[in-house]
Amino acid sequence: MLIGVLKEAGAGERRVAATPATVERIRALGYEVVVEPGAGAGAGFSDPAYETAGARLGDATGADVVLGVGAPPPERLGRLRPGATVIALFAPAADPAAAAELARHPLTVLSPDAVPRISRAQSMDVLSSMANIAGYRAVVEAAHAFGRFFSGQVTAAGKIPPAQVLVAGAGVAGLAAIAAAGSLGAVVRATDPRPEVADQVRSLGGEYLPVAPPGEEAPAATGYAREMDDAYQAREAELYAARCREADVVITTALIPGRPAPRLITAAMVAAMRPGSVIVDMAAANGGNVEGTVPGERTVTENGVTLLGYTDLAGRLPAQASQLYGTNLLNLLRLLTPGEDGVLVLDQDDPVQRSVTVVLDGTPAWPPPPVAVSAAPAPAAPAAPPAPEERPPSPRRRFAAVALAALVLFLLVALAPAALVPHLTVFVLAIVIGYYVIGHVHHALHTPLMAVTNAISGIVVVGAMLQIGHGGPVVTALAALAILLAGINVFGGFAVTRRMLALFHRS
């Protein structure tokens, strides 16, 4: 089968559905690939690069499978070969009416942005890939508009405090924004209606701001945020009103699948912010989280707050975005090509394939049946019954063991040569003292203690080397064995110590 890669028709769209790297891997699945001339120019991929990867240049509308980023316009869909399969971001959840219109064409339409959030579909999750890039780019745009340091500075001219960043929504985009802002040295705080993201925020160096009191928050059942009740929204408004006044940068990412973006920041909250503050509304394309945001535009309020409503944040890093998007489509094609023979097979019994199917051979197939998804933390396992308490050995048994050990030691001393007795005494005392010393050392001190054991092992090596060749073959054999074992301890100790210390070095 022939796969065609479209040149994007949308104004300002610089991404491409396949890169030279993904073209090679698509061809490994048995497909032939045709790329429209100039399709990758906006992302920095030249036509010769595609030809080197094994693709040919030409018209992609006659292909069996057509790949695109944005949804092709109706006139372009009409030029496709009847029965072809089109894979692009049609966003059927946001516009069900447009999804129904697609059925007017004798095509099979797949929309990878409808991939369910289940474990085995993560490699095809286009929304997460693009949100990750958009969250990073949102911080870059905010830093450019802010025009000041994000990190704190102490100079001869005075002290500069770090920027205060508030992230509304800790999904994929929000977490990427938290990581990027934190890496620039800002103080980052974040809020989200899903309590399970609190640990993720903290792991990236941010501070999680809960809206609801502990115990009243409910985990999301789908992995996405959901619309909250009036009481929650009232507490949320109080939190944002208080935090926006002290924030230098606010980044909003809140979206509800299939619904307009919730309004989080009101005009009054914007008016209370300091002049020079920046708000990046990442939900501008869906109506915006911030009152006054203009989709696709940069506006400045009367009190000097900059509102960024850019809707192409992921496309502002076109090479990286194209590579990730192309990899997502490649993984989807792998799922659709079970025989790796260049034949696309669409299995409607597979929940992933069924979820992305908008139109099947000209028949509407949207919406798909719901997929059971749970992002809630796993319930805690029931506590194991307490182990039966071990009774200490009886005093009679302990006295018998001590008496037996003393008898063995007495016989050993009585039969041993006189020169061996002091050495044997030191050996036994070293075993006893070493057992109690090492057994009571905290785990955090094992690495420093290993340096001491290396020194002791070194003394053993030196002593054993002095015994080789003296006292007969038995002494020589024992000395060689001592050198071997002590040498293993020394070199192993240094290797482990080096690896432990490497954990504290920053790459």
Side-chain angles (χ1 to χ4, degrees), residues 242-279:
R243 294 295 180 175
C244 285
R245 283 195 295 269
E246 61 188 33
D248 298 303
V249 174
V250 177
I251 299 175
T252 64
T253 70
L255 284 173
I256 300 173
R259 303 287 299 275
R263 183 58 51 84
L264 303 180
I265 311 296
T266 64
M269 298 177 190
V270 176
M273 295 179 68
R274 294 189 291 263
S277 301
V278 179
I279 299 178

Side-chain angles (χ1 to χ4, degrees), residues 146 188 232 256 475 499:
F146 186 51
V188 187
Y232 183 93
I256 300 173
V475 173
R499 294 188 64 181

Side-chain angles (χ1 to χ4, degrees), residues 107-267:
L107 304 169
T108 294
V109 176
L110 306 182
S111 187
D113 54 296
V115 167
R117 283 202 163 175
I118 58 179
S119 297
R120 71 183 187 90
Q122 288 181 353
S123 62
M124 314 167 212
D125 192 348
V126 172
L127 292 182
S128 294
S129 297
M130 297 301 101
N132 182 31
I133 295 176
Y136 172 85
R137 184 68 189 198
V139 175
V140 174
E141 296 290 345
H144 176 69
F146 186 51
R148 283 173 274 174
F149 285 133
F150 262 40
S151 62
Q153 298 283 333
V154 178
T155 69
K159 180 180 179 181
I160 301 173
Q164 304 289 319
V165 177
L166 175 65
V167 179
V172 176
L175 292 175
I178 293 168
S183 67
L184 291 176
V187 176
V188 187
R189 299 179 177 88
T191 184
D192 193 280
R194 297 163 295 184
E196 62 267 24
V197 305
D199 289 337
Q200 300 176 34
V201 172
R202 298 188 188 102
S203 70
L204 294 173
E207 177 187 353
Y208 177 70
L209 303 176
V211 177
E216 293 187 16
E217 296 173 313
T222 62
Y224 294 95
R226 68 190 191 283
E227 191 170 8
M228 309 303 290
D229 57 26
D230 293 340
Y232 183 93
Q233 293 180 14
R235 291 194 297 265
E236 184 180 55
E238 293 177 2
L239 174 66
Y240 286 132
R243 294 295 180 175
C244 285
R245 283 195 295 269
E246 61 188 33
D248 298 303
V249 174
V250 177
I251 299 175
T252 64
T253 70
L255 284 173
I256 300 173
R259 303 287 299 275
R263 183 58 51 84
L264 303 180
I265 311 296
T266 64

